[in-house]
Amino acid sequence: MAKAEPKITLSSSRDIPFDKLVLSQANVRRVRAGISIEELAEDIARRSLLQGLTVRPQLDDNGNETGMYEVPAGGRRYRALQLLVKQKRMAKTALVPCVIRDADAATLAEEDSLAENVQRAPLHPLDQFRAFQTLREKGLSEEEIAATFFIGVNVVRQRLRLAAVSEKLLEAYADDCMELEQLMAFTVSTDHARQENVWAAIEDSHNDTPYHIRRMLTEQTVRASDKRARFVGLAAYETAGGFVLRDLFEADDGGWLQDAALLDRLVADKLKAEAETVAAEGWKWIEVAVDFPYGHTRALRELDSIEKEMIAKEKKTLKALNTEQAKLEAEYQDAEEVPDEVDRRLDEIQEAIEALEERPLTFDPDEVKRAGTFISVSSDGRLRVERGFVRPEDEEPESIENGENGEYSSGDDGDPTSTHSIQRTVITLGGKPTEADEEEEEDGIKPLPERLVTELTVSRTLALRDAVAANPHVAMTVLLHKLVRDTFRHGTAISCLDASVHEVHFPAQPDGLNDSPSAKAVEERQVGWKRDLPDDDDALWDWLNALDEASRLALLAHCVSYGVNALYERGDRYGGSAISPHGVRQRIAEADRLAHALGLDMAEVGWRPTVANYFGRITKARILESVREAKGEQAVQLIDHLKKPDMAKEAERLLADTDWLPEPLRGLDLDAGGDGEATDDAGALPAFLSDDEEDPNEPDTQSTVLAAE
């Protein structure tokens, strides 16, 4: 008959005075980890001891019990209790709950210590998130929870944000279908339905990175770093009822503004209010927009102005600001990190210095009556006010005959003291019209829409102008080339240079042209030369005649550059006054030759394909072809199943770090053969010029701003 297995007998437990306990050398924990002994002591003082100590009787040399007990398991709790006794917050004879192991137990004391730590199962992170949420629901503040568990308040907020994600996503995380980093990415949105839709779209795809999740969840929002948000200010936006969503796990540049329509309304209201203030200065007209197209003041005469001198008080303030700035910069020049309050103060000082140094301008009051002002938002979110521009039609002031003596007086009702009434500004913040719904495409790749080609060649023309102005040798060559052809019976040939020289204005412009490196370089060069030129025509001749050769060449190159015209436009097939299709092809070929001579690379000057300037304007077939050229067939397979808006965004991301360019920006490879002259054979031209049909689905994306009449 088999003997029955002996029943398990658990070790007994009882309360032992603390002064009868000593720390055992069998405790295996040697490395400090987790919360400190001080923090553990505070926790025991607050909620008492939650887990007893495991002890063994201490034996003398003869194997007899001494009445003392060693603590092999629970050493950190023992030290915390010891600290409380030392601080006289607990009596040294206080009873401590203990589990007593036999001195001759079959297992070693080291085993007890190791087992207690190794076999302890930590909470699943999700259980911790939900526990924090429960504490919050029961009335504890974020600060109280942080103090209780000795962690930062931001950590508590992060865990509460994770617990607030859609329950469906939390279940996926609990089932190991989602990684913690992915769950963290979903916290940038509080919309559970949106979270679930995004997860459904990516859970079985290759593109399920946290970055992609954040991007999909914030695509309808506006970054706090956007110039419109900086112009209005987050405080004003939130006061108006707007919500700013912050990412507690990643740097987010201030977060995302969820209500773009509210932001645009606030921008418009603030611009209108600023316009009313400027209108009180007596200007005839004011145009207001978030942004103006490049060269919007070119056709207007700019009034002469005088900078208002600083008064003594302003000079004293400026000196004090410069001194404080230098002191702070010297104090923290070797610091690894500047404190937030110091960083904010340095920003405030810099803004105050710029405000003082940017002196107000004074104008002739009579000129102000027929001039106007442009009001917009600069790229850094500040108000930009461009005063003192006269339209051609306003050059001659209106006059009426007054009285029998034939005298004339300006103004209303014959009153020489009256001024033109202040005109109210009509504001149109020109958003682009919604693109037509995506249609099924025929097989093959359609030609690029003509308007898109025009916009692309605008960017190239501006880059060519900058490059020509910086290369006097090429500028002289292209000018002589044009003049020689005109002189020696080639006057009918079309060139990419209007050698008159008059500026070629752009009929269509891509977004962000004002902030492109080429535009800034051209504008800076224009302002520099204009500042040096004499006003009087005779003085101008003498000034030019006295210039050194290098300056003459640099000025020539700058002037020649303004005549560069590398624009694509629809040719007139019926012999009208406009350029013919053959002429357009000749112009593009000439522009290719010029770009080749200059070594112009549009990728090097900063042009990158985006949804706004390219991918959102072409067909899916062309998007895939672009990705195939730049990244290969494997990249195409990652996005070929997407809808067009998503495909365009992914194409922008994939090609962001490449030097890929669309055909209109590449030019022709003149080294491959030929002299660069255009021909009438359309088949030899780039694909983007091989079809003259307009794309009927291409929207007119030109923004308009209506000024007061």
Side-chain angles (χ1 to χ4, degrees), residues 344-357:
R344 284 194 296 270
R345 179 54 186 161
L346 285 171
D347 288 340
E348 293 170 358
I349 292 173
Q350 186 60 37
E351 289 180 8
I353 290 175
E354 291 176 359
L356 284 170
E357 292 180 340

Side-chain angles (χ1 to χ4, degrees), residues 590-625:
E590 289 278 332
D592 289 334
R593 188 199 333 256
L594 181 58
H596 180 75
L598 293 164
L600 177 68
D601 185 335
M602 291 299 294
E604 289 184 0
V605 301
W607 193 93
R608 292 291 183 274
T610 65
V611 174
N613 69 15
Y614 189 70
F615 292 121
R617 315 278 297 282
I618 60 177
T619 61
K620 290 177 66 174
R622 273 199 176 272
I623 295 175
L624 295 176
E625 183 62 24

Side-chain angles (χ1 to χ4, degrees), residues 59-64 66:
L59 305 179
D60 60 18
D61 294 339
N62 298 322
N64 300 317
T66 64

Side-chain angles (χ1 to χ4, degrees), residues 136-158:
R136 190 72 180 87
E137 291 170 354
K138 290 187 175 181
L140 269 67
S141 68
E142 294 171 352
E143 291 75 14
E144 289 172 331
I145 297 173
T148 299
F149 293 97
F150 306 102
I151 56 178
V153 176
N154 195 53
V155 175
V156 175
R157 290 173 181 156
Q158 289 176 338

Side-chain angles (χ1 to χ4, degrees), residues 444-709:
I445 299 177
K446 296 180 179 179
L448 293 175
E450 287 191 351
R451 183 180 178 84
L452 174 57
V453 176
T454 300
E455 290 186 8
L456 293 173
T457 54
V458 162
S459 297
R460 189 182 187 217
T461 297
L462 199 56
L464 277 171
R465 288 183 182 180
D466 183 36
V468 167
N471 194 323
H473 178 79
V474 172
M476 181 70 77
T477 302
V478 70
L479 177 59
L480 287 174
H481 181 259
K482 174 67 166 64
L483 295 178
V484 168
R485 282 168 48 164
D486 288 349
T487 303
F488 295 91
R489 294 177 294 180
H490 296 287
T492 58
I494 300 295
S495 175
C496 72
L497 177 68
D498 290 337
S500 327
V501 171
H502 64 271
E503 183 183 2
V504 180
H505 294 282
F506 303 144
Q509 297 186 23
D511 286 345
L513 189 67
N514 276 331
D515 295 324
S516 67
S518 300
K520 291 180 178 178
V522 171
E523 183 64 21
E524 182 179 351
R525 198 178 291 114
Q526 172 77 359
V527 171
W529 281 115
K530 187 175 181 180
R531 183 173 53 245
D532 295 339
L533 294 176
D535 294 329
D536 182 75
D537 194 56
D538 290 335
L540 175 62
W541 176 270
D542 295 336
W543 184 82
L544 289 172
N545 195 44
L547 280 180
D548 61 83
E549 194 63 22
S551 298
R552 287 164 62 87
L553 286 174
L555 180 56
L556 171 65
H558 176 67
C559 295
V560 168
S561 74
Y562 265 82
V564 172
N565 183 356
L567 299 178
Y568 168 78
E569 59 185 288
R570 176 184 285 275
D572 185 351
R573 300 184 180 185
Y574 305 105
S577 58
I579 188 172
S580 68
H582 175 68
V584 173
R585 291 194 288 270
Q586 277 191 299
R587 176 195 290 169
I588 297 298
E590 289 278 332
D592 289 334
R593 188 199 333 256
L594 181 58
H596 180 75
L598 293 164
L600 177 68
D601 185 335
M602 291 299 294
E604 289 184 0
V605 301
W607 193 93
R608 292 291 183 274
T610 65
V611 174
N613 69 15
Y614 189 70
F615 292 121
R617 315 278 297 282
I618 60 177
T619 61
K620 290 177 66 174
R622 273 199 176 272
I623 295 175
L624 295 176
E625 183 62 24
S626 303
V627 174
R628 183 177 290 108
E629 289 181 3
K631 304 291 287 187
E633 189 63 36
Q634 185 175 3
V636 171
Q637 293 175 4
L638 293 177
I639 66 171
D640 59 3
H641 64 286
L642 299 176
K643 293 184 178 179
K644 181 179 175 181
D646 295 330
M647 182 184 292
K649 292 173 185 175
E650 284 306 299
E652 175 183 336
R653 183 182 66 82
L654 288 169
L655 272 63
D657 297 328
T658 70
D659 291 335
W660 182 89
L661 295 170
E663 289 177 82
L665 299 186
R666 298 176 192 171
L668 300 178
D669 185 1
L670 301 185
D671 292 331
D675 59 1
E677 293 289 345
T679 70
D680 288 326
D681 182 7
L685 293 172
F688 68 89
L689 289 179
S690 63
D691 195 320
D692 287 326
E693 292 300 321
E694 185 73 53
D695 186 347
N697 294 323
E698 178 66 11
D700 182 4
T701 59
Q702 182 69 30
S703 301
T704 58
V705 180
L706 304 180
E709 293 297 325

